[in-house]
Amino acid sequence: MMTFQPQFPQGFLWGGATSANQVEGAYNLGGKGLSTADVVEFVEPEDRTSMKIPFPSLDEIQRVLDTENDRVFPKRFGIDFYHNYKEDIALMKELGFKTFRISIGWARIFPTGVESEPNEEGLAFYDNVFDEMQKHGIEPLVTLSHYEIPLHLSREYGGFYSRDVVDYFVHYARTVFQRYKDKVKYWITFNEINSLLMAPYIGTGLVQDFVPEGRLLEAKYQAAHHQLVANAKAIEACHRIIPDASIGCMVIGMINYPNSPHPEDASAAHNDMQKTFFFTDVFTRGSYPFYMKRFFAEHDIHIKMELGDERLLRENTVDFIPFSYYMSGVSARPEQGGEKAGGNLISGLKNPYLEASDWGWQIDPVGLRTLLNMFYERYEKPLFIVENGLGAFDKVEEDGSVHDPYRIDYLASHIEQMKEAVGDGVDLWGYTTWGPIDLVSFSTSEMSKRYGFIYVDQDDYGSGSLKRSKKDSFSWYQKVIATNGEDLSSS
Ligand code: BG6
């Protein structure tokens, strides 16, 4: 066999990814309203239940707000990117970033979500951030809703469960497309849209009180329909307002292996993957896939659609498919027991062939190559890995250095497989590692779970100098980018 040397294309978009509620802080400055993320508190590790993402009732939200002074809300302080964005973007520049993924805090632009006029101070903040990126030659990649919506929309409407929220979202999307049309050419509507099946509050703002008795699954798919319609409408607006922009909708990229060669296990793995493919099928092919008919019938799910929805979905599909990839899962036929694995919302059984992170996420670089091929075979649309990385405990040495070979190993092995997929012929636009600078964890709201090349001196409770310093992985990623992924060695 001839040796084949895959290579990343010229212009490959290397970079990193963050979200507003995990980095910005300043939750009540600049006219910002409260978002759904601002009421998610830090929970001590020993008090965490297996489900760390709450699905609250209105009463619970009220109780949290009434006693907020006794609670810790790390997503309210983030890492104070709001005041440090210049220094942070300069560090991204030093890393050699071609692109930097951020999200816009919707409640910074429309504090309650229902205003007709946007908050100028919020708009000006992102103008400054984009200008800073432009100054350093970094292309912004911007998510419109990354695990947050204005809290008011959640409390008054049950989030995207209500059709009204589609219009509020589209008004917000149009406003920012209009404002940033000369500065932002890569857009993502929703972060990990398929997460709503596991975490409906985080993904869509749905709270318990709005769900009719026993109809939670139906409510989730109704909210999904509304987000898919909102996505289509936002795509339509984006293409009209910024004709040279590319826009996508994101999913948690997950590959499920069968627990054994038993055909029923293989079928379970296939069914689990269809739960993700449902979303990518709709926003890439433009219609509900055939297999949902039976699923909806068997689960007594009736989706309310408006006249024109089908046309909207059909005419406004994505330009590229952005997805996150952290781990793979194992599926088994229902009667099969087995030890559960931890996971990025979607999990399954433990895989005896894989190592896991300190949080139990099963590390599987080869799965990334397979998944890239699966997505590309299915859609033949450009792909973009917009999150990948290792959450780990870091130790600061006495001289201030952080030695993180585990992070380098994780990323190098994934980039290696990504390169193989590019060699396989997959059209991959770019790669943004999750949390290039340490940030507040989404699932556990802790600082201790770190992803960055840049260390941030802050603990779980918000104490620390916030000083930024470079870990060993910083110069490693710098070299990876400088060599366009050719040199992945750790020396
Ligand atoms: C993704 C989210 O699911 O995973 C990010 O889009 C999140 O917001 C990331 O931070 C890693 O998860 P965690 O829970 O380790 O922060």
Side-chain angles (χ1 to χ4, degrees):
M1 204 157 81
M2 302 262 295
T3 7
F4 178 74
Q5 292 289 353
Q7 275 181 340
F8 288 105
Q10 288 307 314
F12 189 76
L13 291 166
W14 296 97
T18 59
S19 80
N21 70 79
Q22 291 170 270
V23 298
E24 281 179 11
Y27 80 103
N28 57 359
L29 298 185
K32 177 180 167 299
L34 278 186
S35 95
T36 43
D38 291 324
V39 294
V40 176
E41 59 183 317
F42 172 69
V43 183
E44 297 291 346
E46 57 275 18
D47 296 335
R48 285 177 201 148
T49 57
S50 56
M51 191 61 189
K52 285 159 251 143
I53 317 299
F55 177 40
S57 64
L58 290 173
D59 277 354
E60 278 173 75
I61 295 178
Q62 191 56 54
R63 209 171 326 124
V64 166
L65 289 171
D66 289 344
T67 53
E68 61 181 1
N69 294 336
D70 307 326
R71 299 169 189 263
V72 183
F73 300 97
K75 288 171 184 142
R76 292 186 180 191
F77 47 77
I79 52 161
D80 203 18
F81 178 78
Y82 189 76
H83 293 108
N84 285 283
Y85 68 90
K86 286 195 179 168
E87 181 194 349
D88 293 345
I89 293 171
L91 285 164
M92 307 301 162
K93 161 75 183 166
E94 212 181 316
L95 275 162
F97 276 21
K98 313 288 179 215
T99 188
F100 181 29
R101 176 180 175 220
I102 64 161
S103 74
I104 296 179
W106 182 353
R108 231 180 242 299
I109 310 300
F110 291 101
T112 66
V114 302
E115 294 83 357
S116 46
E117 291 306 316
N119 168 34
E120 177 53 36
E121 229 182 312
L123 286 171
F125 169 66
Y126 295 105
D127 261 323
N128 294 337
V129 170
F130 298 141
D131 289 347
E132 202 60 24
M133 287 195 216
Q134 198 173 34
K135 189 171 107 189
H136 291 301
I138 299 174
E139 193 77 54
L141 167 62
V142 178
T143 314
L144 292 172
S145 178
H146 188 125
Y147 282 161
E148 60 176 333
I149 71 169
L151 185 61
H152 176 82
L153 295 180
S154 179
R155 298 173 83 187
E156 291 300 314
Y157 297 87
F160 276 91
Y161 182 53
S162 158
R163 180 87 193 195
D164 294 335
V165 173
V166 173
D167 294 335
Y168 293 129
F169 175 80
V170 175
H171 180 52
Y172 155 61
R174 280 200 195 112
T175 305
V176 294
F177 293 152
Q178 201 59 50
R179 175 75 170 223
Y180 306 124
K181 60 176 186 283
D182 298 325
K183 300 182 181 178
V184 181
K185 303 294 176 186
Y186 291 94
W187 294 91
I188 296 172
T189 50
F190 294 104
N191 182 64
E192 298 187 333
I193 189 171
N194 50 335
S195 70
L196 66 86
L197 298 178
M198 287 73 65
Y201 171 74
I202 300 292
T204 73
L206 181 62
V207 283
Q208 284 175 24
D209 310 60
F210 291 85
V211 180
E213 184 75 25
R215 314 290 305 171
L216 180 57
L217 192 60
E218 182 178 65
K220 288 177 183 174
Y221 277 99
Q222 185 63 58
H225 178 69
H226 290 154
Q227 285 202 329
L228 288 163
V229 169
N231 172 63
K233 288 188 168 196
I235 292 176
E236 186 180 47
C238 182
H239 285 157
R240 187 167 32 77
I241 299 170
I242 329 177
D244 57 341
S246 298
I247 182 163
C249 183
M250 179 194 166
V251 288
I252 301 177
M254 183 78 167
I255 174 160
N256 287 78
Y257 302 118
N259 195 36
S260 77
H262 193 294
E264 297 287 352
D265 283 348
S267 175
H270 183 247
N271 287 344
D272 281 343
M273 291 206 68
Q274 273 186 341
K275 294 198 176 95
T276 299
F277 285 142
F278 158 64
F279 292 90
T280 45
D281 281 353
V282 175
F283 63 63
T284 308
R285 292 172 168 164
S287 60
Y288 271 54
F290 70 92
Y291 50 82
M292 292 311 279
K293 264 207 183 120
R294 178 165 183 171
F295 178 82
F296 287 157
E298 286 183 344
H299 292 86
D300 192 24
I301 292 174
H302 307 273
I303 305 290
K304 288 192 203 93
M305 295 203 189
E306 283 188 5
L307 211 65
D309 283 0
E310 287 184 339
R311 182 195 53 79
L312 265 168
L313 296 176
R314 195 173 53 248
E315 291 178 0
N316 301 286
T317 55
V318 293
D319 301 314
F320 68 105
I321 303 169
F323 67 96
S324 61
Y325 181 85
Y326 292 91
M327 54 177 289
S328 59
V330 175
S331 308
R333 56 198 188 277
E335 66 273 19
Q336 286 288 294
E339 207 184 333
K340 286 247 174 232
N344 182 22
L345 293 176
I346 306 178
S347 60
L349 300 180
K350 274 212 168 138
N351 186 330
Y353 301 102
L354 299 178
E355 308 228 311
S357 77
D358 292 336
W359 277 259
W361 298 21
Q362 306 188 113
I363 302 170
D364 182 9
V366 173
L368 176 58
R369 177 180 180 183
T370 314
L371 186 65
L372 280 160
N373 274 278
M374 276 184 174
F375 274 141
Y376 199 60
E377 272 160 17
R378 197 169 177 109
Y379 305 116
E380 292 190 333
K381 284 241 183 183
L383 305 174
F384 203 138
I385 301 167
V386 296
E387 286 185 31
N388 173 240
L390 180 72
F393 293 108
D394 287 332
K395 179 166 175 279
V396 185
E397 305 294 339
E398 264 171 29
D399 64 356
S401 57
V402 175
H403 306 304
D404 55 349
Y406 36 88
R407 183 166 292 111
I408 294 175
D409 287 351
Y410 178 99
L411 294 170
S413 59
H414 283 77
I415 295 172
E416 192 63 61
Q417 292 300 319
M418 215 163 84
K419 199 197 279 186
E420 291 297 330
V422 169
D424 295 336
V426 169
D427 183 5
L428 181 64
W429 277 0
Y431 175 72
T432 55
T433 64
W434 178 248
I437 181 165
D438 291 344
L439 39 67
V440 174
S441 156
F442 152 69
S443 58
T444 58
S445 288
E446 64 192 317
M447 269 308 288
S448 311
K449 187 180 190 184
R450 294 172 183 273
Y451 285 87
F453 307 115
I454 300 159
Y455 186 87
V456 177
D457 176 31
Q458 179 173 249
D459 69 14
D460 293 335
Y461 307 92
S463 300
S465 65
L466 283 175
K467 190 173 159 295
R468 277 68 165 145
S469 55
K470 298 171 191 167
K471 303 180 195 176
D472 288 357
S473 54
F474 187 97
S475 52
W476 173 81
Y477 196 45
Q478 211 174 27
K479 178 184 67 183
V480 171
I481 298 179
T483 61
N484 199 26
E486 282 307 298
D487 187 353
L488 302 177
S489 65
S490 54
S491 49

